[in-house]
C-alpha cells in the first residue's frame, strides 16, 4: 500500500523534471537562433584600379588552309583514259593531269571537217550569187556550233593544272568511269585534287572591340607547335565588313608566307598581331578567379561596403599581372585582392589596411 501511494508522487516529480528540461532546451534554442542569423562581414584588402599604357598584342588560334584548292573534273561524265599524276606529285600550271576518253571528240572533229567543206563551198557560191543569203547563214551557223563543240570537248577531255601546286587527292584509276557523284571530303566531285601550299592562308575571328584597330596590310606573326623555334610572317589581306551577331566578332583572312613549305594545310597555329599602344586595366593575376568547371573568369569589387562580382575577359599577361577586359569596369574601381576567394556577390565586406 505504501508503494502504490508513492507512485503518483514519483510521476509528478518526473513530469516537473521533464518540463524544466524542455524549458531549458527551448531557451537554449531561442538564444541560439539570433546568432545563426548574423551575417558575417568578410575582411578584405583592395587596390584602386588605374589605366596603364601597354603595347597591345593579341593572339588567337587558327588552322591553316591551302591558298588555292581545286577539285578537277570534266564537264560531263565519261571514261578516264589515263591519270598522269599520283598523290604528292608536284605540277606546274598548264601540265596535263588527266586524259579522258576522246571518242566524242573524234566524232565532233569529223563532223566539223565535213561542215567546213560545205561552208567553204557555199561561201564561194554565195559570193557569185548562186545561193541565197539564207542558205549560207544556215551552214555558217552549223559550222560555228560544230567548231564550238570541238573546242569544248578538247577542253574537257584534257584536264590541265590551273596553277602550280601539289596533288592532294586521287579518286579514280585508269579506265574507270567518272560519274559526277560527290566523292571528296569537301562534298564535291573530283577525279583529282590540287592544292597550292606556298603561300597558305589562315582565318581568325577577332572581338568586335578591336574592329577599328585591325586593317588590311597589317603584319602578323605565325607560330606552330611542330616548329617551335621558327617564326613565320603573315599579312592581313581581307577584313570582313560584318560582325557576327552570335559571337560579336569579325573575321580576317591572313596570307601566310611558307618558305621551304614546312607548314601544311590543316596544321594548328597561333596568330599574333600588334595593335600599338593603348590604355588597359592591368591587375594582379591572383585577383582573378575561375568558375569551376568552365572557362569563365571573374573578379570582385568593393562597392559601398559590399562585394560585387564582375565577369571579365583576360587579355595580355605580364609576369604576375594580367590585363582584364569588361564593359562594367572603369578607372578608380576598388579591386579586392585579398579575401576574394571567400566572397559571394553582395556579401558585406570590411577593408583592412594591415
Amino acid at each position: 500500500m505504501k508503494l502504490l501511494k508513492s507512485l503518483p508522487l514519483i510521476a509528478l516529480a518526473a513530469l516537473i523534471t521533464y518540463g524544466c528540461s524542455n524549458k531549458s532546451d527551448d531557451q537554449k534554442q531561442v538564444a541560439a537562433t539570433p546568432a545563426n542569423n548574423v551575417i558575417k562581414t568578410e575582411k578584405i584588402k583592395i587596390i584602386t584600379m588605374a589605366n596603364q599604357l601597354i603595347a597591345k598584342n593579341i593572339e588567337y588560334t587558327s588552322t591553316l588552309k591551302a591558298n588555292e584548292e581545286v577539285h578537277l573534273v570534266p564537264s560531263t561524265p565519261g571514261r578516264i583514259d589515263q591519270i598522269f599524276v599520283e598523290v604528292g606529285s608536284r605540277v606546274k600550271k598548264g601540265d596535263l593531269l588527266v586524259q579522258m576518253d576522246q571518242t566524242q571528240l573524234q566524232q565532233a572533229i569529223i563532223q566539223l571537217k565535213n561542215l567546213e567543206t560545205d561552208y567553204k563551198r557555199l561561201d564561194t557560191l554565195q559570193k557569185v550569187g548562186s545561193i541565197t543569203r539564207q542558205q549560207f547563214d544556215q551552214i555558217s551557223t552549223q559550222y560555228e556550233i560544230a567548231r564550238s563543240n570541238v573546242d569544248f570537248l578538247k577542253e574537257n577531255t584534257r584536264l590541265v593544272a590551273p596553277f602550280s601546286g601539289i596533288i592532294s587527292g586521287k579518286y579514280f584509276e585508269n579506265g574507270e568511269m567518272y560519274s559526277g557523284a560527290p566523292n571528296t571530303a569537301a562534298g564535291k566531285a573530283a577525279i583529282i585534287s590540287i592544292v597550292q601550299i606556298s603561300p597558305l592562308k589562315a582565318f581568325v575571328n577577332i572581338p568586335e572591340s578591336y574592329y577599328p584597330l585591325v586593317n588590311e596590310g597589317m603584319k602578323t606573326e605565325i607560330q606552330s607547335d611542330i616548329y617551335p623555334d621558327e617564326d613565320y610572317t603573315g599579312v592581313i589581306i581581307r577584313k570582313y565588313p560584318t560582325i557576327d551577331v552570335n559571337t560579336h566578332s569579325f573575321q580576317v583572312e591572313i596570307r601566310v608566307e611558307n618558305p621551304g613549305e614546312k607548314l601544311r594545310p590543316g596544321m594548328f597555329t597561333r596568330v599574333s598581331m600588334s595593335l600599338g599602344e593603348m590604355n588597359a586595366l592591368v591587375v594582379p593575376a591572383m585577383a582573378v578567379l575561375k568558375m569551376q568547371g568552365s572557362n569563365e573568369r571573374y573578379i570582385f569589387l568593393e562597392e559601398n561596403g559590399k562585394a560585387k562580382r564582375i565577369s571579365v575577359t583576360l587579355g595580355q599577361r605580364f609576369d604576375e599581372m594580367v590585363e582584364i577586359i569588361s564593359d562594367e569596369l572603369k578607372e578608380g574601381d576598388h579591386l579586392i585582392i585579398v579575401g576574394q576567394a571567400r566572397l559571394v556577390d553582395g556579401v558585406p565586406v570590411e577593408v583592412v589596411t594591415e
Side-chain angles (χ1 to χ4, degrees):
M1 291 296 292
K2 290 183 180 180
L3 179 61
L4 291 176
K5 289 180 179 181
S6 63
L7 283 177
L9 296 175
I10 295 173
L12 179 61
L15 182 60
I16 294 172
T17 303
Y18 175 78
C20 293
S21 175
N22 282 350
K23 182 177 180 180
S24 176
D25 291 342
D26 290 342
Q27 288 174 340
K28 289 180 182 179
Q29 184 174 357
V30 171
T33 299
N36 291 338
N37 290 335
V38 173
I39 299 176
K40 183 180 179 182
T41 300
E42 298 289 351
K43 297 185 182 300
I44 60 166
K45 291 184 179 181
I46 63 171
I47 61 171
T48 301
M49 291 195 295
N51 284 322
Q52 298 183 34
L53 191 64
I54 64 171
K56 184 62 178 178
N57 296 313
I58 56 176
E59 180 179 290
Y60 301 96
T61 59
S62 181
T63 300
L64 295 175
K65 296 182 180 294
N67 186 52
E68 291 189 71
E69 181 175 14
V70 172
H71 305 288
L72 289 178
V73 294
S75 60
T76 57
R79 188 176 67 85
I80 301 169
D81 270 356
Q82 189 172 359
I83 301 174
F84 298 97
V85 291
E86 296 292 339
V87 173
S89 298
R90 292 182 176 272
V91 298
K92 295 180 179 179
K93 182 178 180 179
D95 285 353
L96 178 62
L97 306 180
V98 179
Q99 177 67 63
M100 301 295 293
D101 179 75
Q102 299 184 70
T103 301
Q104 286 184 308
L105 174 60
Q106 296 302 328
Q107 293 174 348
I109 290 174
I110 293 172
Q111 183 182 13
L112 176 62
K113 288 182 177 179
N114 292 335
L115 286 171
E116 185 177 14
T117 301
D118 292 341
Y119 172 79
K120 290 180 178 180
R121 179 172 58 83
L122 291 181
D123 182 46
T124 301
L125 293 176
Q126 184 266 340
K127 288 178 180 178
V128 298
S130 298
I131 61 172
T132 64
R133 182 68 186 182
Q134 182 180 8
Q135 289 176 301
F136 177 74
D137 287 344
Q138 288 177 347
I139 191 64
S140 178
T141 300
Q142 293 175 14
Y143 175 68
E144 291 299 328
I145 292 174
R147 188 168 64 178
S148 176
N149 188 39
V150 168
D151 291 341
F152 173 79
L153 290 172
K154 282 182 178 180
E155 182 179 353
N156 284 279
T157 55
R158 291 169 52 87
L159 304 184
V160 300
F163 51 80
S164 298
I166 299 176
I167 302 301
S168 60
K170 177 184 176 185
Y171 312 102
F172 290 90
E173 298 296 334
N174 296 340
E176 291 186 327
M177 288 292 297
Y178 164 70
S179 65
N183 60 344
T184 67
K188 300 178 180 180
I191 294 177
I192 58 173
S193 298
I194 178 174
V195 296
Q196 185 184 73
I197 64 172
S198 183
L200 294 165
K201 60 185 178 182
F203 293 90
V204 176
N205 293 316
I206 302 176
E208 63 182 1
S209 58
Y210 297 132
Y211 193 86
L213 304 176
V214 176
N215 295 294
E216 295 178 3
M218 287 180 59
K219 293 185 177 181
T220 67
E221 294 182 0
I222 313 295
Q223 290 186 324
S224 168
D225 292 341
I226 299 176
Y227 308 110
D229 298 328
E230 298 188 30
D231 293 328
Y232 296 86
T233 60
V235 176
I236 297 176
I237 62 172
R238 188 167 291 107
K239 173 184 173 182
Y240 283 66
T242 57
I243 306 295
D244 188 296
V245 296
N246 295 316
T247 62
H248 293 285
S249 63
F250 64 98
Q251 192 174 71
V252 297
E253 180 181 342
I254 300 171
R255 178 187 176 98
V256 181
E257 300 302 326
N258 189 21
E261 297 184 349
K262 288 185 176 182
L263 299 177
R264 294 302 170 105
M267 280 187 177
F268 175 84
T269 57
R270 292 179 177 84
V271 180
S272 60
M273 61 190 78
S274 175
L275 302 182
E277 292 186 335
M278 60 187 303
N279 285 319
L281 294 173
V282 179
V283 303
M286 64 180 182
V288 182
L289 304 175
K290 180 181 178 183
M291 172 69 75
Q292 188 174 3
S294 73
N295 287 323
E296 181 186 352
R297 301 298 204 281
Y298 62 95
I299 61 169
F300 280 103
L301 300 181
E302 183 278 325
E303 190 174 279
N304 299 323
K306 293 184 178 181
K308 181 179 180 181
R309 173 174 165 157
I310 303 290
S311 294
V312 297
T313 300
L314 299 186
Q316 289 178 250
R317 289 186 176 273
F318 308 91
D319 296 327
E320 300 301 320
M321 307 292 285
V322 64
E323 176 193 3
I324 55 174
I325 304 168
S326 172
D327 293 336
E328 299 182 64
L329 297 177
K330 64 184 182 299
E331 195 171 18
D333 283 341
H334 294 162
L335 173 68
I336 300 175
I337 60 171
V338 174
Q340 67 273 20
R342 304 188 302 270
L343 301 179
V344 294
D345 192 44
V347 69
V349 292
E350 178 185 348
V351 180
V352 296
T353 57
E354 295 179 0

